[in-house]
Amino acid sequence: MNIYDISKKTGVSIATVSRVINGSSNVSEKTRAKVLAAIEESGYTPNVFARGLGLNTMKTIGIMCADSSDPYLAQAVYYIEQGLRKNNYDSLLSCTGYDHDTKENCLRLLISKRVDAVILVGSNYVETEEKNEYIRTAAQTVPIMIVNGEITAPNIYCTLCDDYSAIYEVTDNFIKSGKKDILYLYNSLSYSGTKKLEGFRAAMKANGLPVKENRLRFIESHNMSVHETEKAFGEIVKNGNMPEGIVASDDVLAISALKYAKSAGISVPDELFVAGFNNFVISECCDPELTSVDNKLESLCQHCVSTLMSVFAEDKSVPKKTIFSAEIIERETTKFIK
């Protein structure tokens, strides 16, 4: 027995059956009683699709993230799901990986599930104009929300951290504290990753320092291995290229370098400053505790959900882009001169 059978049995439309299921007042008491009696008699259990037919909403939001094992993305998905649940929305999660075609297919699949909107978590979804066309096309059907990325198009709303300024500031603090030979570790050239790299370069330039290519180290791995990064930093040091400081685009990268420094007897922060990014709980679990950039992830996700609710309410004042400022949380791996 399904909604179509109930419709046929009672002689009313599918939409009317759905309105009864959803408790809509736009149904006569006589019709409501007839439909409810048929439902009780048949033992029919309404599903989410049936409930959505009458109200033109599934009360379900699609969420896309590249990799749920990534600490940043996993934390973001958690905050978003909590926010949606508080607003009585369910979610469908799709872990897309980083392949462009797979991401495009996953977005199409979510829309085919009749979700009310889609939230893209992470800046890896922001690519070239041509590659972003599938996102702009999807936005013609449902609102698209982007966490920590930016695409300018109708019905797309972006919430992001000012990653450029955050890395600029932490690098500038290194330099002002006497650490001018700085190694920059990064693992992504996504929208966010590119902004961070630009911030590092700009801070060095603003202080009259060259950006040497051997001081930019890309760790090519989405599933970051602490041991791989530790080994990479070890090779740099063994080649006689010991830096005075390390600025990393992610806490895992920073802690990997910190791990090697400790095993090699390099004193942190006396000989080496180390700073990470994201301010995960692991930054407080290591020894010494890691200086890190708090990118306000929880606030980003909460704002993304509240913006979406305002879009649903047809609030004309909803901002298309909201930028949050980050905060440097100084701990034991640096001694900044104030």
Side-chain angles (χ1 to χ4, degrees), residues 278-318:
N278 289 330
N279 196 37
F280 288 136
V281 65
I282 58 173
S283 62
E284 296 182 88
C285 297
C286 59
D287 182 24
E289 293 186 8
L290 178 69
T291 293
S292 185
V293 175
D294 183 354
N295 59 353
K296 307 298 181 183
L297 180 58
E298 184 173 5
S299 296
L300 259 66
C301 295
Q302 289 174 346
H303 183 81
C304 172
V305 173
S306 65
T307 298
L308 179 58
M309 295 304 116
S310 296
V311 171
F312 288 157
E314 299 184 356
D315 184 348
K316 303 301 182 184
S317 64
V318 177

Side-chain angles (χ1 to χ4, degrees), residues 147-213:
V147 176
N148 218 32
E150 180 182 0
I151 296 176
T152 303
N155 214 27
I156 296 179
Y157 303 86
C158 308
T159 306
L160 57 157
C161 175
D162 188 355
D163 293 333
Y164 173 96
S165 295
I167 288 292
Y168 183 104
E169 184 181 353
V170 75
T171 304
D172 190 62
N173 279 336
F174 270 52
I175 299 168
K176 295 292 194 297
S177 301
K179 303 296 184 180
K180 299 181 179 181
D181 184 7
I182 306 170
L183 172 67
Y184 183 69
L185 295 177
Y186 61 111
N187 65 338
S188 171
L189 283 174
S190 64
Y191 176 88
S192 172
T194 300
K195 292 294 183 184
K196 292 175 185 177
L197 180 57
E198 289 174 354
F200 175 76
R201 288 182 178 275
M204 295 291 285
K205 183 178 180 180
N207 283 278
L209 297 173
V211 180
K212 301 176 183 178
E213 288 308 310

Side-chain angles (χ1 to χ4, degrees), residues 38-56:
I39 289 174
E40 183 177 358
E41 182 182 331
S42 64
Y44 166 62
T45 301
N47 61 29
V48 67
F49 181 76
R51 290 197 299 271
L53 285 174
L55 298 179
N56 196 31

Side-chain angles (χ1 to χ4, degrees), residues 5-16:
D5 296 321
I6 298 297
S7 172
K8 184 176 180 181
K9 183 173 183 177
T10 56
V12 301
S13 69
I14 295 171
T16 298

Side-chain angles (χ1 to χ4, degrees), residues 108-337:
R108 286 197 184 117
L109 179 61
L110 283 175
I111 291 177
S112 74
K113 301 288 186 183
R114 295 188 45 147
V115 295
D116 297 299
V118 176
I119 300 175
L120 307 180
V121 183
S123 65
N124 60 86
Y125 291 103
V126 180
E127 301 180 83
T128 63
E129 286 293 313
E130 181 181 351
K131 287 189 173 181
N132 289 338
E133 185 59 33
Y134 77 102
I135 297 176
R136 288 192 289 268
T137 299
Q140 296 174 15
T141 305
V142 297
I144 300 292
M145 320 299 292
I146 304 177
V147 176
N148 218 32
E150 180 182 0
I151 296 176
T152 303
N155 214 27
I156 296 179
Y157 303 86
C158 308
T159 306
L160 57 157
C161 175
D162 188 355
D163 293 333
Y164 173 96
S165 295
I167 288 292
Y168 183 104
E169 184 181 353
V170 75
T171 304
D172 190 62
N173 279 336
F174 270 52
I175 299 168
K176 295 292 194 297
S177 301
K179 303 296 184 180
K180 299 181 179 181
D181 184 7
I182 306 170
L183 172 67
Y184 183 69
L185 295 177
Y186 61 111
N187 65 338
S188 171
L189 283 174
S190 64
Y191 176 88
S192 172
T194 300
K195 292 294 183 184
K196 292 175 185 177
L197 180 57
E198 289 174 354
F200 175 76
R201 288 182 178 275
M204 295 291 285
K205 183 178 180 180
N207 283 278
L209 297 173
V211 180
K212 301 176 183 178
E213 288 308 310
N214 67 349
R215 284 302 186 239
L216 303 175
R217 186 60 184 261
F218 181 72
I219 309 296
E220 192 170 4
S221 174
H222 290 301
N223 294 310
M224 291 172 290
S225 166
V226 172
H227 297 297
E228 283 180 16
T229 308
E230 183 184 1
K231 181 181 177 182
F233 178 57
E235 290 172 355
I236 293 171
V237 174
K238 288 174 183 176
N239 289 332
N241 292 316
M242 174 70 183
E244 297 176 317
I246 295 174
V247 174
S249 66
D250 184 276
D251 285 339
V252 175
L253 293 175
I255 289 175
S256 300
L258 187 63
K259 187 174 166 60
Y260 175 82
K262 188 170 185 178
S263 67
I266 300 169
S267 177
V268 177
D270 295 328
E271 296 178 79
L272 179 71
F273 275 18
V274 182
F277 201 101
N278 289 330
N279 196 37
F280 288 136
V281 65
I282 58 173
S283 62
E284 296 182 88
C285 297
C286 59
D287 182 24
E289 293 186 8
L290 178 69
T291 293
S292 185
V293 175
D294 183 354
N295 59 353
K296 307 298 181 183
L297 180 58
E298 184 173 5
S299 296
L300 259 66
C301 295
Q302 289 174 346
H303 183 81
C304 172
V305 173
S306 65
T307 298
L308 179 58
M309 295 304 116
S310 296
V311 171
F312 288 157
E314 299 184 356
D315 184 348
K316 303 301 182 184
S317 64
V318 177
K320 297 287 299 217
K321 179 174 72 172
T322 304
I323 301 176
F324 283 76
S325 296
E327 178 185 3
I328 299 173
I329 309 299
E330 187 174 12
R331 299 190 178 94
E332 298 169 346
T333 58
T334 58
K335 287 183 180 178
F336 292 146
I337 296 176

